[in-house]
Amino acid sequence: MGHKTRKDVIHSFQVNFFAMGLLNTFPWDSLDKELETSKTSDIIMDILQEHEMIAAEPLDELYEALGKLMCAQEEDVCYKTYFLPTGDAVSLAENVALIAQGTTGLVTWEAALYLAEWALENTHIFKSKTVLELGSGIGLTGIVVCRSSSLTKYIFSDCHQTVLQRLKDNITNCLTNSDSNSASVSVEELHWENVSDEQLQRIQANTIIAADVVYDPDIIACLVKLLSRLLNCKVQENHPDVYIASTVRNPQTYDCFKEELERAGLRHVIIKDSVAQVFPYNRASTIEMIKIYV
């Protein structure tokens, strides 16, 4: 790859800023390592000048305010904006705290961003399909899929009432009157441990996706049972396709998930496609995509 230009670096800062990225994830090293002719001081001056054109407060005070925001009370909400390759923006209401109101579903996690990036490169998988997303959270992955793919129907799902309300709000803000295709969109309250056969038959999904749903050993059994039921709900005589993206934080928990799949008679294959990074997040964590089938 060639050296980044001054414009590239400033654009990278803007993308991280609007996504409310942590300051230590900003491309500070680009200033020294990836600029061929510009000095660090020149780039900083450019950023300062751009900021002064739109605000009266000094930049260091802005960053101080951002730092305070990151440490805010759990009920505080911010808007994070993610830019698609087309230049379109997806702005989501997210909680500042990683855990709030007894759930982790009010923020966007790395595997959801990765799954969205993978979906952008594999739009053919969703063409003319009814897609069910498990554990949709606040909706980033599904909104990106709906914006980029010519699908028939997309079903967001979750079980936490606060998450469901935030999800509905974000869908309304991001998909209503947008330039996306005319796919039908709905939200289901889906409790993995007691979902009825009638509900699964009504959903009739031929593609199932999920991100960051393998994190708690206590829910693995009911997740795998649900996946088994979904895979055996044939749509037009075909078994659905199931794709799961996971950040492997605890290898033992992730291995337990795979062992449970095997015990349930479900096979899996690791998807090793190289996925271009679109959104600002830490790719240092191990994120694995698998396809599950019978």
Side-chain angles (χ1 to χ4, degrees), residues 200-254:
L200 295 184
Q201 288 295 331
R202 174 168 50 79
I203 289 172
Q204 283 284 296
N206 41 28
T207 301
I208 294 101
I209 64 173
D212 258 331
V213 292
V214 184
Y215 59 88
D216 183 354
D218 293 337
I219 65 171
I220 286 176
C222 66
L223 170 60
V224 171
K225 183 178 179 181
L226 174 60
L227 292 175
S228 181
R229 292 173 66 190
L230 286 166
L231 279 163
N232 284 289
C233 286
K234 290 185 178 181
V235 179
Q236 296 176 346
E237 301 304 314
N238 293 315
H239 294 284
D241 294 322
V242 177
Y243 301 93
I244 308 286
S246 303
T247 302
V248 185
R249 299 180 181 86
N250 186 325
Q252 290 180 322
T253 299
Y254 195 59

Side-chain angles (χ1 to χ4, degrees), residues 26-253:
F26 278 45
W28 303 110
D29 59 338
S30 299
L31 298 177
D32 288 319
K33 297 179 182 178
E34 298 188 37
L35 289 172
E36 187 170 18
T37 58
S38 298
K39 294 181 180 179
T40 302
S41 58
D42 294 335
I43 302 301
I44 294 175
M45 285 302 298
D46 283 346
I47 296 170
L48 283 168
Q49 288 169 3
E50 286 206 1
H51 177 72
E52 288 170 356
M53 291 173 61
I54 60 172
E57 298 296 324
L59 188 63
D60 57 349
E61 292 188 13
L62 172 62
Y63 276 178
E64 182 180 351
L66 280 173
K68 290 179 181 178
L69 181 61
M70 292 302 177
C71 299
Q73 297 298 315
E74 69 171 28
E75 65 268 23
D76 285 353
V77 176
C78 63
Y79 279 86
K80 294 188 178 183
T81 300
Y82 302 92
F83 290 96
L84 304 182
T86 58
D88 290 340
V90 175
S91 293
L92 304 177
E94 303 193 17
N95 269 51
V96 175
L98 297 180
I99 301 175
Q101 302 187 44
T103 179
T104 59
L106 293 167
V107 297
T108 298
W109 294 89
E110 290 91 344
L113 292 161
Y114 184 89
L115 181 56
E117 291 168 340
W118 179 82
L120 286 169
E121 295 186 2
N122 293 274
T123 55
H124 62 281
I125 287 176
F126 304 99
K127 185 175 182 180
S128 302
K129 296 294 179 62
T130 294
V131 181
L132 167 65
E133 182 185 4
L134 302 176
S136 296
I138 56 174
L140 185 276
T141 300
I143 289 168
V144 170
V145 172
C146 289
R147 286 275 195 95
S148 60
S149 303
S150 299
L151 45 80
T152 299
K153 183 176 184 180
Y154 196 95
I155 304 152
F156 296 82
S157 74
D158 216 292
C159 64
H160 193 283
Q161 290 301 316
T162 304
V163 174
L164 286 167
Q165 187 55 57
R166 184 74 55 78
L167 173 62
K168 291 174 183 177
D169 292 343
N170 283 334
I171 291 170
T172 298
N173 292 337
C174 294
L175 293 180
T176 301
N177 298 323
S178 72
D179 293 330
S180 63
N181 61 69
S182 57
S184 170
V185 173
S186 64
V187 177
E188 288 273 345
E189 181 176 348
L190 198 67
H191 296 269
W192 297 351
E193 69 278 6
N194 58 14
V195 57
S196 67
D197 290 335
E198 290 77 15
Q199 188 175 17
L200 295 184
Q201 288 295 331
R202 174 168 50 79
I203 289 172
Q204 283 284 296
N206 41 28
T207 301
I208 294 101
I209 64 173
D212 258 331
V213 292
V214 184
Y215 59 88
D216 183 354
D218 293 337
I219 65 171
I220 286 176
C222 66
L223 170 60
V224 171
K225 183 178 179 181
L226 174 60
L227 292 175
S228 181
R229 292 173 66 190
L230 286 166
L231 279 163
N232 284 289
C233 286
K234 290 185 178 181
V235 179
Q236 296 176 346
E237 301 304 314
N238 293 315
H239 294 284
D241 294 322
V242 177
Y243 301 93
I244 308 286
S246 303
T247 302
V248 185
R249 299 180 181 86
N250 186 325
Q252 290 180 322
T253 299

